[in-house]
Amino acid sequence: MRYYVMTLFPEMIEQAMSTSIMGRAVSEGFIELKVMNIRDFTLDKHGKVDDYPYGGGAGMVMEAEPIYRCFEQICSEVGERPRVVYLTPQGDVFSQCMAKDFSAESDIVFLCGHYEGVDERVLEEIVTDYVSIGDYVLTGGELPALVMMDAIARLVPGVLNNEDSAETESFSDGLLEYPQYTRPVEILGRSVPEVLMSGHHEKIRQWRQEQSVQRTRERRPDLYEQWAEENLR
Ligand code: 6GU
């Protein structure tokens, strides 16, 4: 899978994507990352990429031209029109279900906006998906793009060491994860639950399932209702 990121802050993307599991996914070739600096595509001799908003008002608006020229270069590399995600609080709220949908693509383009926004005309021309990562306001689309790339990449075969770890955990079956323990057997006056040391695999599986259900009911009643609807009724 190949990610293209159109941004004015390429270091922000490169940094985060060179670390931990994403770093390994890139260096081992499971994910190909092409970070495009929108500033490299302006024809303006001073490298200007934004301008005042028509109609007045605060802040600057990112110009259509450099973004469109950047997109054209991406299209010529991909050979067809890829999905283009514009990160905006006005988009559909990102979910595990959307991550799964995107993980089937061979190429995804992320357009990161800044300032007061992006000239609407280039959005109309190239964007296929408007995505938000939640109901709060960030200064730019880079962190949301990173969030999406992480959530999508871990569904790509090979990115996680453990074959089934993406499937058995939180959300895959609509429940939150059960609690985990490691050595020592006692610390801070608390012991590891007996059943986990019993070696009885079926009992362990049952206990974990019960913990997941209980935890979901307490911490995310909204998710619990959905799960109960699909599994109990
Ligand atoms: Cl995708 N962008 C910005 N700027 N703020 C956000 C967001 C996106 N999602 C939540 N807040």
Side-chain angles (χ1 to χ4, degrees), residues 87-89 131-134 136-138 140 144:
L87 290 313
T88 168
V131 182
S132 164
I133 62 162
Y136 40 82
V137 182
L138 302 171

Side-chain angles (χ1 to χ4, degrees):
M1 165 175 281
R2 189 159 39 175
Y3 292 148
Y4 286 90
V5 184
M6 298 195 266
T7 175
L8 290 174
F9 301 93
E11 342 57 72
M12 208 170 156
I13 303 296
E14 301 278 14
Q15 274 264 354
M17 290 296 284
S18 67
T19 306
S20 187
I21 295 174
M22 288 306 100
R24 201 197 53 138
V26 172
S27 69
E28 291 183 7
F30 295 108
I31 299 293
E32 194 180 334
L33 176 65
K34 297 212 164 181
V35 184
M36 317 289 281
N37 189 340
I38 294 167
R39 206 174 293 281
D40 293 342
F41 294 84
T42 179
L43 295 172
D44 180 85
K45 57 178 182 260
H46 303 108
K48 185 172 69 72
V49 289
D50 60 352
D51 209 334
Y52 298 99
Y54 274 111
M60 302 292 272
V61 176
M62 285 170 69
E63 295 168 5
E65 185 172 56
I67 292 169
Y68 189 69
R69 284 165 45 80
C70 182
F71 171 72
E72 281 185 311
Q73 163 144 347
I74 293 168
C75 287
S76 73
E77 286 182 28
V78 172
E80 57 182 1
R81 273 197 162 219
R83 276 172 92 170
V84 178
V85 177
Y86 178 54
L87 290 313
T88 168
Q90 301 175 20
D92 297 330
V93 178
F94 190 52
S95 65
Q96 190 63 30
C97 178
M98 286 167 73
K100 207 163 199 173
D101 176 48
F102 279 110
S103 72
E105 300 289 332
S106 58
D107 299 87
I108 307 173
V109 180
F110 297 94
L111 171 58
C112 304
H114 255 268
Y115 313 113
E116 299 312 305
V118 172
D119 190 310
E120 191 69 19
R121 295 166 295 183
V122 74
L123 300 179
E124 289 172 359
E125 187 69 25
I126 73 173
V127 173
T128 57
D129 300 82
Y130 292 83
V131 182
S132 164
I133 62 162
D135 291 337
Y136 40 82
V137 182
L138 302 171
T139 56
E142 283 76 11
L143 288 171
L146 287 165
V147 165
M148 287 188 68
M149 288 191 282
D150 188 296
I152 295 164
R154 58 186 293 295
L155 301 176
V156 172
V159 170
L160 299 186
N161 339 301
N162 188 344
E163 292 272 306
D164 51 27
S165 53
E167 271 309 306
T168 60
E169 75 202 356
S170 300
F171 285 103
S172 54
D173 61 354
L175 291 175
L176 301 182
E177 261 293 58
Y178 48 79
Q180 298 277 19
Y181 302 86
T182 187
R183 291 189 290 179
V185 70
E186 202 204 305
I187 194 167
L188 306 172
R190 298 155 203 261
S191 287
V192 173
E194 280 298 335
V195 62
L196 297 180
M197 298 178 293
S198 68
H200 195 307
H201 299 300
E202 179 53 22
K203 274 191 180 156
I204 293 172
R205 194 197 58 74
Q206 265 180 29
W207 182 85
R208 285 175 165 170
Q209 170 77 9
E210 287 160 16
Q211 290 289 312
S212 283
V213 171
Q214 192 185 315
R215 196 162 263 223
T216 309
R217 199 168 48 209
E218 285 168 12
R219 299 185 183 187
R220 289 295 304 273
D222 57 326
L223 290 182
Y224 176 77
E225 279 311 311
Q226 218 176 302
W227 177 85
E229 195 65 55
E230 288 158 17
N231 292 273
L232 301 179
R233 282 157 207 158

